[in-house]
Amino acid sequence: MGTIITISRQYGSGGRIVAQLVAKQLGYQFYDRALIDRAAEESGFSTHHINESGEYATSSSSLLFGLSVANTMGQGGMSLYDNVYLAQSKVIRAIADSEENAVIVGRCADYILRERAHCLHVFLHADVESRLRRAVEEYGEADAKSEKFLREKDKRRKVYYRTYTGENWGEAQNYHLTLDTGLLGIETCADLITRAVQAMQ
């Protein structure tokens, strides 16, 4: 059985970059965009639709998101969001059931694989200034000018996570390791995750 690392992260904390570095250091497969592509193949939805509706709620309100989900009900009584979540879950479980070692970014993978052995679940966070700077300089988000922008991003992710897992996104007890990329830096965080995985083996 392979080892799986799941990386959950605040917006702008550099989670994707950390995940790439960890995958490179350990020689693991890296799943972010590739997971979206596979989920699109499984579900028949476009990669754009999977990307837009597969990790963020349409609103920072649980009630409003619930109404949005209800309004997209299709055949079989399942919403488009439900179908996307199921497609992603199927791909994540297939990766975990294979013999490969992998790093998976987001997509509720920590919850989906919560009962699987040989997993390390990581949550990354950072200070507001670091996140805003990364959002502008690396993500190209011209609107990332205030803490309000980050709160909105995080709330939408929290609502999505809560809707499909029943758990609270970002709570330390749901992860094996939580790291501050703003304080420690991207490379140090990647090194610490790599060392944690090596200690598991």
Side-chain angles (χ1 to χ4, degrees):
M1 177 181 291
T3 299
I4 304 294
I5 305 167
T6 68
I7 305 287
S8 302
R9 71 282 185 231
Q10 286 184 325
Y11 179 84
S13 63
R16 187 175 189 274
I17 303 169
V18 171
Q20 286 178 311
L21 285 174
V22 171
K24 183 177 180 180
Q25 289 175 3
L26 291 170
Y28 285 15
Q29 293 296 316
F30 170 70
Y31 285 99
D32 183 15
R33 184 72 194 183
L35 193 152
I36 294 172
D37 292 340
R38 285 181 59 171
E41 291 176 8
E42 292 281 350
S43 65
F45 292 118
S46 69
T47 55
H48 174 76
H49 187 85
I50 297 285
N51 192 47
E52 291 297 315
S53 61
E55 194 171 20
Y56 284 101
T58 54
S59 168
S60 57
S61 162
S62 295
L63 176 60
L64 292 177
F65 181 54
L67 291 173
S68 178
V69 170
N71 287 333
T72 62
M73 288 297 180
Q75 294 182 348
M78 290 183 61
S79 74
L80 296 176
Y81 298 98
D82 294 339
N83 280 304
V84 167
Y85 178 77
L86 289 177
Q88 291 180 157
S89 299
K90 184 177 179 180
V91 171
I92 289 167
R93 290 193 179 97
I95 293 168
D97 289 341
S98 71
E99 293 298 317
E100 70 179 335
N101 301 309
V103 181
I104 302 174
V105 179
R107 310 285 157 178
C108 301
D110 59 294
Y111 178 82
I112 293 165
L113 302 180
R114 65 194 181 282
E115 296 179 355
R116 183 188 184 276
H118 304 289
C119 277
L120 181 71
H121 302 305
V122 180
F123 186 83
L124 302 176
H125 59 97
D127 58 278
V128 171
E129 291 75 15
S130 295
R131 295 169 63 197
L132 287 173
R133 183 170 59 254
R134 182 168 287 110
V136 173
E137 295 177 359
E138 298 180 20
Y139 304 169
E141 288 280 8
D143 296 330
K145 299 177 180 178
S146 68
E147 187 175 354
K148 181 180 178 181
F149 174 87
L150 298 177
R151 285 201 305 267
E152 179 70 16
K153 286 282 189 179
D154 287 345
K155 282 182 180 179
R156 289 159 73 101
R157 193 170 280 172
K158 285 178 182 178
V159 167
Y160 182 91
Y161 189 89
R162 180 71 176 176
T163 298
Y164 286 104
T165 71
E167 300 290 338
N168 294 322
W169 175 82
E171 287 195 348
Q173 63 265 30
N174 293 329
Y175 307 91
H176 299 122
L177 186 64
T178 62
L179 296 169
D180 185 336
T181 60
L183 175 68
L184 299 173
I186 295 296
E187 291 79 10
T188 298
C189 287
D191 289 343
L192 289 170
I193 295 168
T194 296
R195 289 171 59 188
V197 171
Q198 291 169 340
M200 292 167 52
Q201 298 172 344

